Amino acid sequence: MTTGGRSPHHVAPAFGRGRTEIGVSGGFDDAFLVEVRERNNIVSVVGDYVSLKKAGHASFKGLCPFHSEKSPSFHVHEDRQFFYCFGCQAGGDVITFVRELNGYSFVEAIRHLAERAGLQVPELRPQGPGTGRRGASRASRASKSERDLFYEIGGIAQRFFTETLQTMEGTVCRDYLRQRGVDAKATERHGLGFAPDRWDGLLNRLREAEVPAEAAERLGLIVPRSSGPGYYDRFRNRLTFPIRSNAGDVIAFGGRTLSTEKDVAKYVNSPDSPVYSKGDTLFGLYEARQAMRREGWAVVVEGNLDLVRLAQFGLENVVAPMGTALTAAQCTLLKRFAPRAVLLYDGDNAGRAAAEKAVPLALAEGLAVSVAVLPDGEDPDTFVGTEGPDALRALLARAVPGFEHLVLHCILPRIGEVRGARAALTAAQEVAPTLELVRDPAERHLYQRQLAEILGLDEAELVRLLKASPRRRTRVDATNPMTPAARQPVAAPRTPPPSSELDLLKLMMLAPGSCALYTAHDVEALVTHPGVRDAAEQLVRRWESDGAIELASFVSSLEDTVLRETLFKSLASAPPVGDDWMAPFEQLETRLKREAFQRRLSTLKLDERRATLAGDELGAMRVLMERQKIQRQLEALRATRG
């Protein structure tokens, strides 16, 4: 097994891959979705984030927000209402853009765009058993008016804490930050503040703002008195860390005590609320999301101050899991922004144990994970402070892939250096549940081969031991309802369609009237690519019901990710078709017929060979006659222009 690390490198964003929704419409009425798209011109929406310049009749271009580039390769097509980047192959409609840039779910993106356009967001339609309960976020379950109130209260509290930090009361907190090496720029970037050493500091500010006490209590900012009426501040004499939603709204706080008393909890976090769930949130994600997109990977640390210090030294793609063990929901959230993560946990027993728990969890969620091991007694803050950012980057570059780390640092130390059947069986029992979680068969096979080398076993023997080992519930199973047995099988890799079939589908989208000929001429029988066949069928249904095709939303809705990306790339440079589509359609139909004849000839050639080898002269003659017939038909088609 290779113990040297693989340096974290840029990976193009995988748009829509591994993402599941509660339905194509997310539970919204189709007419409402159409209005949301119509009221949010993609040039205007993208222009809120990207500086665009005119690049043609109805095209604009700018620097891509999804990867780092110096020359603009990011194009926005106003007439067709979609974007496409020739650099990283990101593409989609206005909903896709908002989702991928901000890490929103489909429902969150629709709400954002609806509110941007001043539209009233309707209640979601039921989407099947359990909808609105399991799987729905707390923010989704809160009504719009409630959410707006909670976000407003969070903003009031944040302003109070940041203002108090700059007062005389905040001197003790400013001194602490200076002692920890946190500068003013880092303090401002992360919105650090100070909760004064009073029982009613924030409470009085909320009263001045006429905030309902019950709402502030539901957010966990104030706590009811145990005896008598009234409330008191939850956060007192603490450095405060604002926790933001993906949209940047303050939804909770973390607080680090500045007291020297031993009976005071070192850290206090907001309790779960209608807009916040600790296990579903990552501290610093809002600030780090663009850097994670740009770099293609994220760093996960344990402490909030570790994150602040690393960002201060230029490592901006850092997040922290709210002072708890990494959860499945947090791994899924990470994947929205970057396909890879490096765990940079403290160099102590607790940090090593946390990494051991996190690796199987990340593998179960399909997140590529590596582990960077700090020297004993070091944490990210102390290491970067003494060794500097270059040394830290070198340490991250040597990060060991998660499975290798699990075997080398967790399993082998438990079984010792002893080799033999008993040690091999013990190792197999330890590692089998984790191997089951690795979804990529090629990756899983690589891990099996590496483990066999370490244990001194033949790979076939190791596979036998793995199959024979009892299937125990892992730490992942205990926290993740989607156990390996319940997971969906990995879909076979999808391939791009033949150029003729891609051109046909593109023509049907640009000239929807051709859908009638597609049906009348039974062109479907000539299409071999399942993704194209399904997409064409959907196109025909939409054209028959609506008489028009919303190009960007249609392509974005396709489940075949390879076909979707191929179509966006092709459409980005496709000229308008206009009314003169009949001749191109007939030419494409002729091409498809020729290709069908050629496929049939290849099959018949093999059949003739088999019949000859079997001594079946009559069968060989029959096949030969059919070949000659099809050859004549093919020659006639070749004489046809197309």
Side-chain angles (χ1 to χ4, degrees):
M1 178 181 292
T2 303
T3 57
R6 302 170 190 170
S7 61
H9 56 279
H10 175 76
V11 179
F15 280 72
R17 296 175 188 167
R19 302 279 293 275
T20 56
E21 292 298 341
I22 55 176
V24 173
S25 65
F28 292 109
D29 182 81
D30 290 342
F32 175 70
L33 294 179
V34 170
E35 186 175 10
V36 167
R37 288 188 175 98
E38 289 178 346
R39 296 279 291 273
N40 284 278
N41 185 293
I42 193 167
V43 173
S44 175
V45 173
V46 173
D48 291 342
Y49 305 89
V50 179
S51 177
L52 296 174
K53 293 183 179 180
K54 194 82 170 176
H57 169 63
S59 179
F60 297 79
K61 68 178 181 180
L63 295 176
C64 180
F66 301 111
H67 81 286
S68 180
E69 63 178 6
K70 295 181 179 179
S71 299
S73 59
F74 180 81
H75 291 253
V76 182
H77 300 269
E78 187 169 25
D79 54 344
R80 296 171 182 171
Q81 287 294 297
F82 76 89
F83 70 93
Y84 183 78
C85 176
F86 288 91
C88 68
Q89 290 75 55
D93 63 358
V94 67
I95 297 173
T96 305
F97 178 82
V98 169
R99 286 187 66 185
E100 299 298 342
L101 189 69
N102 297 309
Y104 289 162
S105 67
F106 183 86
V107 172
E108 289 169 336
I110 293 299
R111 283 197 170 118
H112 171 84
L113 290 170
E115 292 171 7
R116 180 183 183 276
L119 297 174
Q120 182 70 33
V121 181
E123 292 296 320
L124 295 181
R125 295 197 312 260
Q127 292 286 298
T131 299
R133 298 187 298 275
R134 179 174 296 179
S137 69
R138 292 175 179 269
S140 297
R141 292 198 296 268
S143 68
K144 178 182 182 301
S145 58
E146 276 188 319
R147 284 186 289 111
D148 289 345
L149 174 61
F150 292 140
Y151 295 156
E152 182 180 355
I153 295 172
I156 293 170
Q158 171 62 5
R159 287 190 294 275
F160 172 74
F161 292 143
T162 55
E163 290 169 5
T164 306
L165 178 63
Q166 304 305 322
T167 65
M168 286 294 294
E169 276 185 299
T171 302
V172 62
C173 190
R174 294 197 304 275
D175 289 344
Y176 174 77
L177 289 172
R178 194 176 302 111
Q179 173 192 341
R180 294 297 300 264
V182 179
D183 62 22
K185 186 176 180 181
T187 298
E188 181 179 359
R189 169 183 165 84
H190 294 282
L192 305 186
F194 175 59
D197 193 10
R198 287 185 275 135
W199 294 93
D200 58 358
L202 177 60
L203 182 63
N204 288 334
R205 174 64 66 89
L206 295 174
R207 284 172 177 162
E208 292 172 5
E210 299 182 349
V211 170
E214 295 79 7
E217 179 191 349
R218 291 179 70 189
L219 281 179
L221 293 172
I222 57 176
V223 181
R225 295 185 179 277
S226 57
S227 59
Y231 298 87
Y232 62 89
D233 289 358
R234 178 182 297 275
F235 298 95
R236 303 180 306 281
N237 195 25
R238 291 182 181 273
L239 166 65
T240 59
F241 302 86
I243 300 162
R244 300 181 185 274
S245 69
N246 292 343
D249 297 298
V250 176
I251 55 176
F253 290 91
R256 202 274 186 200
T257 187
L258 300 178
S259 173
T260 57
E261 297 179 13
K262 294 183 179 180
D263 59 344
V264 176
K266 187 175 181 180
Y267 289 100
V268 169
N269 291 313
S270 295
D272 285 1
S273 75
V275 293
Y276 167 69
S277 175
K278 183 164 61 176
D280 297 342
T281 311
L282 289 163
F283 174 66
L285 179 62
Y286 178 75
E287 291 81 5
R289 69 196 193 286
Q290 298 295 352
M292 290 165 61
R293 289 276 192 213
R294 186 172 61 250
E295 301 293 337
W297 58 288
V299 179
V300 182
V301 297
E302 293 181 90
N304 293 356
L305 272 175
D306 292 326
L307 181 153
V308 172
R309 285 276 287 162
L310 264 57
Q312 180 176 315
F313 278 93
L315 281 84
E316 298 180 344
N317 55 329
V318 187
V319 295
M322 306 305 305
T324 63
L326 196 66
T327 68
Q330 288 169 337
C331 290
T332 301
L333 183 59
L334 271 172
K335 279 181 59 184
R336 289 190 187 181
F337 296 90
R340 296 189 64 252
V342 177
L343 305 180
L344 183 65
Y345 287 177
D346 294 351
D348 55 21
N349 290 335
R352 286 186 281 271
E356 181 181 354
K357 293 178 182 178
V359 168
L361 199 66
L363 293 176
E365 298 307 311
L367 177 67
V369 64
S370 301
V371 180
V373 181
L374 284 165
D376 288 347
E378 294 275 16
D379 59 38
D381 176 17
T382 60
F383 185 85
V384 76
T386 56
E387 303 296 330
D390 290 341
L392 181 60
R393 288 190 178 92
L395 182 76
L396 292 170
R398 296 193 301 272
V400 178
F403 182 80
E404 294 183 23
H405 174 85
L406 204 62
V407 174
L408 288 172
H409 297 277
C410 305
I411 294 175
L412 289 187
R414 282 202 288 269
I415 66 173
E417 295 300 320
V418 180
R419 296 294 181 266
R422 176 170 293 184
L425 179 59
T426 302
Q429 290 174 341
E430 288 275 353
V431 81
T434 300
L435 275 174
E436 284 185 348
L437 301 174
V438 180
R439 301 181 184 182
D440 187 330
E443 184 181 359
R444 186 165 56 248
H445 178 260
L446 174 64
Y447 292 154
Q448 289 176 354
R449 188 170 61 194
Q450 292 173 335
L451 183 60
E453 291 176 2
I454 287 180
L455 297 175
L457 292 174
D458 179 81
E459 186 178 351
E461 179 65 14
L462 175 64
V463 171
R464 188 188 66 77
L465 288 174
L466 290 171
K467 290 180 178 179
S469 65
R471 294 298 187 260
R472 302 174 303 168
R473 281 178 60 83
T474 66
R475 294 183 179 91
V476 174
D477 298 332
T479 58
N480 183 3
M482 285 295 287
T483 58
R487 294 182 185 278
Q488 296 296 321
V490 178
R494 287 166 170 157
T495 57
S499 61
S500 56
E501 297 181 20
L502 177 67
D503 290 343
L504 172 70
L505 187 59
K506 189 166 59 175
L507 179 62
M508 291 172 66
M509 287 189 292
L510 296 175
S514 62
C515 291
L517 280 186
Y518 178 85
T519 303
H521 292 191
D522 194 23
V523 179
E524 180 183 3
L526 304 173
V527 176
T528 61
H529 191 277
V532 172
R533 194 163 49 244
D534 291 344
E537 183 181 344
Q538 293 179 47
L539 268 175
V540 171
R541 286 202 303 267
R542 289 200 186 190
W543 179 75
E544 289 176 345
S545 63
D546 302 336
I549 302 295
E550 285 190 354
L551 188 147
S553 62
F554 172 75
V555 179
S556 295
S557 70
L558 296 178
E559 294 184 2
D560 188 327
T561 55
V562 174
L563 177 61
R564 185 169 65 235
E565 292 170 5
T566 304
L567 276 172
F568 274 128
K569 181 178 182 179
S570 182
L571 288 167
S573 55
V577 174
D579 296 329
D580 188 21
W581 54 263
M582 184 75 74
F585 185 91
E586 291 175 349
Q587 291 169 6
L588 282 170
E589 185 179 359
T590 299
R591 280 176 60 190
L592 291 170
K593 287 179 179 178
R594 286 205 308 263
E595 291 169 2
F597 280 137
Q598 288 166 343
R599 289 192 299 272
R600 181 58 181 157
L601 283 174
S602 297
T603 301
L604 288 172
K605 187 175 181 180
L606 289 174
D607 290 345
E608 183 182 0
R609 177 66 175 163
R610 292 192 191 100
T612 301
L613 291 174
D616 183 4
E617 295 183 5
L618 184 60
M621 180 61 68
R622 191 182 301 114
V623 173
L624 176 61
M625 292 175 64
E626 186 177 354
R627 275 186 61 196
Q628 291 173 341
K629 176 184 176 182
I630 291 179
Q631 188 67 48
R632 288 192 295 271
Q633 292 174 318
L634 179 59
E635 292 299 330
L637 274 176
R638 282 175 174 164
T640 304
R641 184 183 177 188

